[in-house]
Amino acid sequence: MDQAQPKEESADRLTEIADEFMRVERYDLAEQHCRKALALDPENVEALVSLCFALAGQDRDEEAAEAAENALALDPKQGDALRGLARVRMAQGRHSEAERIILDALRDWPLNSAAYYEYGRLMWKTGHLEKATRLIEKCLELDPEDADAHSLLAIILSEDSQAAAAQLHGETGLRLSPDEQVTHLGMGQAFLQSGRPFKARMHLREALRISPDSDAVEMYEFADKACRWVYLPFYQFSLWGQKIPGQMVTIWGVAMVLYFTGTRFEATRSAATIWLFCYLAFVVYTWCAEPMAKFWMKLRPAK
């Protein structure tokens, strides 16, 4: 008869299997294996931490927080438990508390790349793009092969109108982890910001196939709208307009200067009038682009 495995080793193996399931976003199966591990060893800190992330992946925030707190009761300086609790508080909108927890983790674990990643996510969610960029860059300095960090940085840089750098990090994230949702989200956002909605839609469709969460749905619907010909010119114009200080006000000012300058001279008066009518027609189009695209999407929904 084979000798039975030690209890702790069996619990550790079940936790390893749970972590493998989480990598493919099967949080339900991960939870089952964590609970089996804890049935064998109720004070297994790693199993409690993995349970926290498995429950958070199912949006069961209160249960996830309880699992993290139980792990911290056993080991108050467990970095991953602090990170898990911070992620839960972030999901609950308790951003100040989440930041305090992450800073506690970084105080004890200053070289924890995952803590920098969570801090970067928090800064991104609260709109501090410059700080978020620095934090994710620090994460990548510590762990250059972190696909999630590359993909998140692609999203952040896209929102900060740095399309070329965003695409570079998006491609790196996709190369490192081609089967994760976040890597396709990163590429989708990068392509949207660089004016290539058809490629963006392809990646966002794949992101939805992997995991149909609300962020992916919203981004995919926008990419699909940008691919409709009634909206495509407005989408491209909007990207171009973002690069101009003052945006629409500046464009309107330039249009008026060109018109009134042209009408001062007989030779250019007709051209100035045509220019004004073309400009006004485009302004009317920008007002109609959104409702026309929405109407088309109702007739032919995104697939």
Side-chain angles (χ1 to χ4, degrees), residues 20-297:
E20 290 170 8
F21 277 122
M22 277 195 281
R23 276 191 282 273
V24 294
E25 299 189 10
R26 287 303 310 270
Y27 299 112
D28 55 336
L29 296 177
E31 179 191 355
Q32 290 177 22
H33 282 79
C34 288
R35 294 197 184 281
K36 288 178 182 178
L38 289 167
L40 293 172
D41 183 2
E43 295 189 351
N44 189 304
V45 174
E46 297 299 330
L48 285 167
V49 170
S50 294
L51 180 60
C52 166
F53 284 104
L55 293 167
Q58 300 174 74
D59 297 323
R60 292 157 60 185
D61 294 334
E62 288 301 331
E63 294 175 78
E66 182 181 358
E69 288 166 350
N70 288 340
L72 289 168
L74 295 167
D75 183 356
K77 294 187 177 182
Q78 218 287 345
D80 288 335
L82 287 167
R83 185 167 61 87
L85 184 58
R87 179 174 292 191
V88 171
R89 296 309 183 212
M90 200 187 311
Q92 294 173 322
R94 295 160 64 173
H95 296 145
S96 296
E97 185 178 350
E99 183 174 21
R100 178 185 58 76
I101 294 167
I102 295 171
L103 289 173
D104 286 344
L106 286 171
R107 190 175 298 114
D108 293 319
W109 305 94
L111 299 181
N112 188 322
S113 64
Y116 282 103
Y117 174 81
E118 293 299 339
Y119 201 0
R121 280 186 71 239
L122 176 60
M123 291 298 100
W124 167 58
K125 283 182 172 291
T126 54
H128 298 86
L129 297 186
E130 185 177 343
K131 187 172 183 179
T133 300
R134 292 199 306 269
L135 289 164
I136 299 301
E137 287 175 344
K138 178 64 176 179
C139 168
L140 289 171
E141 180 184 322
L142 296 167
D143 184 5
E145 301 294 300
D146 189 328
D148 289 355
H150 279 290
S151 299
L152 178 57
L153 187 55
I155 294 171
I156 294 168
L157 292 171
S158 294
E159 293 184 9
D160 202 27
S161 300
Q162 299 183 48
Q167 186 173 338
L168 177 63
H169 283 285
E171 289 171 349
T172 303
L174 189 63
R175 175 179 57 79
L176 291 169
S177 189
D179 298 321
E180 283 193 29
Q181 185 201 48
V182 67
T183 60
H184 288 282
L185 286 175
M187 282 304 297
Q189 182 75 358
F191 279 128
L192 276 176
Q193 190 60 39
S194 61
R196 289 178 281 183
F198 294 95
K199 285 191 173 183
R201 183 172 62 176
M202 178 185 70
H203 282 284
L204 294 169
R205 185 183 287 122
E206 181 65 14
L208 279 173
R209 184 193 66 79
I210 295 169
S211 179
D213 64 32
S214 57
D215 288 342
V217 169
E218 185 177 348
M219 288 175 65
Y220 176 75
E221 288 178 347
F222 179 79
D224 183 70
K225 180 171 66 175
C227 291
R228 311 290 175 125
W229 64 266
V230 294
Y231 193 82
L232 184 59
F234 177 65
Y235 158 73
Q236 297 288 357
F237 172 75
S238 298
L239 290 178
W240 175 72
Q242 290 174 6
K243 301 174 183 178
I244 300 174
Q247 298 183 7
M248 293 304 295
V249 174
T250 301
I251 294 170
W252 175 84
V254 171
M256 292 300 99
V257 168
L258 289 173
Y259 170 69
F260 287 114
T261 301
T263 55
R264 292 180 62 186
F265 305 98
E266 185 66 33
T268 57
R269 192 166 295 162
S270 297
T273 302
I274 293 171
W275 158 254
L276 180 63
F277 276 109
C278 289
Y279 173 72
L280 293 176
F282 185 76
V283 169
V284 172
Y285 159 72
T286 63
W287 295 341
C288 300
E290 184 80 23
M292 286 192 300
K294 286 183 176 179
F295 179 69
W296 188 358
M297 292 174 75

